[in-house]
Amino acid sequence: MPLLQQAEIFTVSDIYTTDYIYALPEGERAELINGHIYNMAPPSTRHQLILGNMHTDINNHIRANNGSCKAFPAPFAVFIKDDEKNYVEPDISIICDGSKLDDRGCHGAPDWIIEIASPSNAGYDYVEKLALYSQSGVREYWIVDPMQESTTVYYLENGFNPSVFNFYKDIPSGVFKDFNINISKLLKL
């Protein structure tokens, strides 16, 4: 039986480690939060369009300003805590401390994480991942919601109160003070 099907029959009390992630068959992806496995569905075309264009804009900004940060699109391994029970693949991870990077991915909290919600994972992004990211030291967390055409932004360095922007508004980055993104413009590219 494939590993993901086996995982579905275990109880919520089962605890997994990154060994499970590395044993997944080629092409299957999952994330771990506090030892609990979360299977990942393939993304939609709109999801990929937003991801690709956001990643391009962020990279262009970094390069234009000779920045030291690096932006990585999924799949990119983030070992967000110093343990084997937490492993995520954010849609976009921006890391400004190069010492956190090696050939396996990022070890520690990225500075800025962007997740693009889909119908199958929206609650996961707004609850489990928000808690994990805020506890781990992520400075800024965006949840782009194509279904609602809104982006919820948590400037976690400044507290836990979110700001919500519709797709037609410019969204300022807290990590890059002179940078913003307008999702509606990205969808027209």
Side-chain angles (χ1 to χ4, degrees), residues 46 48 68 114 118-119 140 146:
R46 192 168 194 206
Q48 292 301 91
S68 60
I114 299 169
S118 54
E140 185 169 343

Side-chain angles (χ1 to χ4, degrees), residues 24-39:
L24 289 171
E26 186 70 30
E28 291 188 28
R29 295 174 45 220
E31 295 180 308
L32 286 170
I33 295 181
N34 298 320
H36 298 285
I37 196 82
Y38 295 89
N39 299 329

Side-chain angles (χ1 to χ4, degrees), residues 28-171:
E28 291 188 28
R29 295 174 45 220
E31 295 180 308
L32 286 170
I33 295 181
N34 298 320
H36 298 285
I37 196 82
Y38 295 89
N39 299 329
M40 299 173 72
S44 70
T45 300
R46 192 168 194 206
H47 177 284
Q48 292 301 91
L49 180 65
I50 293 169
L51 184 150
N53 289 335
M54 286 183 88
H55 179 255
T56 298
D57 278 7
I58 292 166
N59 263 338
N60 287 343
H61 175 78
I62 293 168
R63 286 185 180 153
N65 292 283
N66 297 314
S68 60
C69 299
K70 305 284 186 231
F72 297 92
F76 179 73
V78 175
F79 304 90
I80 198 155
K81 291 185 174 183
D82 189 20
D83 64 21
E84 296 294 315
K85 296 179 187 172
N86 289 281
Y87 168 92
V88 291
E89 294 182 6
D91 287 311
I92 302 176
S93 302
I94 296 93
I95 297 102
C96 298
D97 178 354
S99 70
K100 292 181 180 181
L101 297 170
D102 68 13
D103 284 341
R104 290 183 68 203
C106 177
H107 300 269
D111 293 270
W112 179 11
I113 289 179
I114 299 169
E115 296 284 7
I116 302 165
S118 54
S120 64
N121 73 355
Y124 172 57
D125 290 333
Y126 286 96
V127 179
E128 284 87 358
K129 283 189 173 180
L130 173 59
L132 177 66
Y133 296 163
S134 66
Q135 294 165 3
S136 300
V138 172
R139 294 169 50 198
E140 185 169 343
Y141 176 40
W142 291 21
I143 305 169
V144 179
D145 190 334
M147 290 83 56
Q148 300 296 319
E149 294 193 350
S150 67
T151 301
T152 303
V153 177
Y154 294 90
Y155 300 107
L156 295 170
E157 289 181 307
N158 301 326
F160 208 66
N161 294 326
S163 298
V164 180
F165 300 86
N166 72 41
F167 273 18
Y168 302 95
K169 297 278 187 179
D170 288 347
I171 307 168

